[in-house]
């Protein structure tokens, strides 16, 4: 079987990480093109990844600050072409499949173009910025009669989350009643405002709750407790969300994106006959200089590196078979609907019902 020729749109932090992954760790695939309005960044990345691993030079997101001169149109560095226009990359005959890692506001148009050109796509979350545009994407894909979109909810591919899902599904602990989630980042840029905490961070636990309970979220309340004084932009951080499932089960989520310490994601499931917790970070415990403990990951790339590798490898393998193997456009739509209600809850200080189309009416 021929290698899957992948094009990546948006090569900032996440896109550069995926680019390095495809080049260095994924089998059955080749990175053939990248696109980013920041041309020096795209050029630097293409050049650095065209060098064999281990040769000095910028790699991954470090390439983002590279000083390669800006070019226009399409250029190639060692086989990885830089195509300025993302829609041209999607339509390019030399690109078999696309990874979208542009900011959320660009996803809707780029997803529609992937559908138009029948290109399989792994789209980073959020699917789109709101419920309506997400539903349009779901409907357009359904019309094609083939699933082409997979959404980047990578927690589903993390070995710990996967083991938790397997345990809960086995029924060994009885029915699952509650989920307690913690999602903390060391810090985020000042441009990361209150709504983004819902749409870009909480969205992961929205998907986790839907996936672990295998149920839709009927109602969401997002509380804004006393905010940290360590962010200058007035963002409501931390936030505490209550997700009420259609079955009556409940998930709570603390999201705190300026926690200062490091990246921490935890989930405890409480069931009828026991509980199970993941994300305790108890890897290697060391004792030194009068203290004991372990390390806190710096960011999501360190904590979820394996999950991203598994996610992309399984997406490549499934794409070669003409399938997807992970969260669907519907999952992205459902998460967008919950986050839209969550932002309203945050703004109005009250619980908000989630408004969603019926799956059977949209997908038959
Ligand atoms: P970033 O700001 O580091 O990078 C975004 C890149 O996209 C920049 O290089 C920018 O120049 C480029 N860009 C801007 N407008 C564009 C357009 N119209 N078309 C193509 N490229 C465009 O952002 P980051 O953190 O890399 O996030 C990118 C996406 O990945 C977002 O959807 C974000 O939510 C998602 N993400 C997912 C994570 C996960 O754990 N699954 C973690 C971090 C981000």
């Amino acid at each position: 079987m021929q290698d899957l020729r992948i094009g990546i749109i948006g090569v900032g932090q996440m896109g550069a990480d995926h680019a390095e992954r495809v080049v260095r760790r994924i089998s059955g695939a080749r990175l053939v093109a990248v696109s980013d309005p920041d041309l020096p960044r795209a050029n630097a990345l293409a050049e650095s990844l065209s060098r064999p691993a281990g040769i000095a030079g910028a790699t991954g997101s470090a390439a983002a600050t590279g000083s390669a001169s800006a070019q226009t149109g399409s250029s190639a560095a060692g086989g990885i072409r830089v195509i300025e226009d993302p829609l041209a990359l999607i339509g390019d005959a030399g690109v078999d499949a696309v990874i979208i890692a542009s900011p959320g506001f660009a996803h809707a148009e780029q997803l529609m173009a992937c559908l138009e050109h029948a290109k399989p796509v792994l789209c980073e979350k959020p699917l789109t910025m709101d419920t309506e545009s997400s539903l349009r994407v779901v409907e357009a894909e359904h019309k094609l009669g083939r699933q082409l979109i997979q959404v980047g909810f990578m927690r589903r591919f993390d070995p710990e989350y996967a083991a938790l899902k397997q345990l809960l599904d086995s029924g060994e602990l009885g029915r699952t009643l509650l989920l307690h989630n913690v999602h903390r980042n060391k810090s985020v840029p000042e441009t990361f405002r209150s709504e983004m905490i819902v749409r870009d961070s909480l969205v992961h636990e929205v998907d986790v709750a839907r996936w672990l309970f295998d149920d839709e979220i009927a109602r969401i309340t997002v509380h804004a407790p006393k905010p940290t004084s360590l962010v200058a932009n007035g963002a409501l951080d931390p936030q505490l969300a209550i997700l009420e499932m259609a079955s009556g089960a409940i998930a709570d989520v603390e999201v705190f994106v300026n926690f200062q310490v490091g990246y921490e994601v935890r989930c405890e499931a409480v069931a009828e006959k026991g509980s199970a917790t993941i994300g305790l970070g108890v890897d290697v415990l060391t004792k030194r200089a009068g203290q004991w403990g372990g390390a806190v990951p710096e960011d999501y790339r360190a904590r979820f590196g394996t999950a991203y590798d598994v996610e992309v490898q399984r997406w490549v393998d499934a794409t070669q078979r003409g399938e997807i193997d992970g969260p669907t456009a519907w999952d992205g739509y459902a998460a967008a609907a919950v986050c839209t209600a969550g932002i309203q809850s945050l703004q109005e200080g009250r619980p908000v019902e989630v408004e969603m189309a019926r799956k059977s009416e949209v997908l038959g």
Side-chain angles (χ1 to χ4, degrees):
M1 195 174 283
Q2 299 239 309
D3 278 353
L4 188 73
R5 296 169 302 174
I6 294 178
I8 299 186
I9 298 180
V11 288
Q13 199 150 302
M14 194 71 245
D17 197 54
H18 281 321
E20 209 221 352
R21 169 168 298 108
V22 171
V23 171
R24 311 263 189 246
R25 293 193 292 287
I26 300 299
S27 63
R30 232 167 2 111
L31 180 63
V32 294
V34 293
S35 180
D36 196 299
D38 187 337
L39 278 170
R41 173 179 286 182
N43 282 319
L45 181 75
E47 271 170 34
S48 71
L49 288 178
S50 298
R51 281 186 225 117
I55 304 283
T59 58
S61 57
T65 52
S67 58
S69 61
Q71 294 178 20
T72 53
S74 168
S75 59
I80 302 174
R81 284 185 293 150
V82 175
I83 303 178
E84 185 176 3
D85 177 2
L87 302 184
L89 179 148
I90 293 166
D92 193 282
V95 172
D96 301 320
V98 178
I99 295 178
I100 296 181
S102 53
F105 64 78
H107 291 184
E109 184 189 33
Q110 293 167 358
L111 282 166
M112 285 300 196
C114 288
L115 294 178
E116 197 181 307
H117 292 278
K119 297 271 167 96
V121 53
L122 175 61
C123 179
E124 270 308 335
K125 56 81 196 165
L127 184 68
T128 71
M129 300 292 275
D130 56 57
T131 317
E132 293 72 28
S133 56
S134 284
L135 184 58
R136 281 197 292 277
V137 168
V138 169
E139 288 170 339
E141 187 196 47
H142 182 60
K143 238 173 149 180
L144 278 180
R146 184 182 154 204
Q147 284 186 307
L148 289 173
I149 299 171
Q150 186 168 320
V151 185
F153 290 127
M154 81 300 183
R155 281 167 175 52
R156 297 190 188 202
F157 299 92
D158 173 64
E160 285 189 69
Y161 270 102
L164 177 62
K165 169 76 174 158
Q166 205 175 13
L167 173 65
L168 298 180
D169 284 356
S170 75
E172 214 178 294
L173 301 182
R175 293 179 310 154
T176 309
L177 308 173
L178 289 168
L179 290 181
H180 303 296
N181 300 276
V182 168
H183 179 166
R184 298 177 183 146
N185 297 69
K186 186 171 187 178
S187 62
V188 291
E190 275 206 9
T191 48
F192 206 91
R193 305 192 64 87
S194 307
E195 307 76 45
M196 293 180 72
I197 297 176
V198 177
R199 197 187 290 118
D200 282 79
S201 299
L202 176 66
V203 67
H204 277 299
E205 276 66 36
V206 163
D207 184 64
V208 162
R210 293 184 62 253
W211 176 59
L212 289 181
F213 281 123
D214 198 11
D215 193 12
E216 294 296 354
I217 295 165
R219 195 148 74 137
I220 178 169
T221 311
V222 182
H223 296 277
K226 182 175 185 170
T228 171
S229 61
L230 301 180
V231 277
N233 69 358
L236 298 171
D237 184 29
Q239 296 178 8
L240 187 65
I242 308 294
L243 312 177
E244 295 174 59
M245 311 307 297
S247 69
I250 288 186
D252 61 65
V253 191
E254 174 206 311
V255 188
F256 187 9
V257 297
N258 288 282
F259 174 52
Q260 308 300 314
V261 180
Y263 188 73
E264 194 179 5
V265 168
R266 265 200 317 271
C267 177
E268 180 186 18
V270 183
E272 291 169 319
K273 293 187 274 180
S275 70
T277 305
I278 58 147
L280 293 174
V282 281
D283 189 8
V284 178
L285 284 181
T286 52
K287 292 183 181 176
R288 70 178 157 218
Q291 294 192 322
W292 67 270
V296 182
E298 184 72 8
D299 67 15
Y300 52 86
R301 290 169 300 182
R303 165 67 179 85
F304 285 113
T306 304
Y308 295 123
D309 286 352
V310 174
E311 172 189 54
V312 174
Q313 187 64 64
R314 280 178 49 182
W315 172 70
V316 165
D317 294 345
T319 302
Q320 295 277 29
R321 300 192 302 270
E323 299 168 3
I324 65 167
D325 181 11
T328 63
W330 179 266
D331 293 318
Y333 160 66
V338 175
C339 291
T340 300
I343 290 171
Q344 191 183 342
S345 169
L346 186 67
Q347 288 163 346
E348 299 178 4
R350 64 177 184 86
V352 173
E353 308 292 325
V354 175
E355 285 184 22
M356 267 182 74
R358 273 181 196 281
K359 195 170 185 178
S360 57
E361 279 168 20
V362 180
L363 302 182

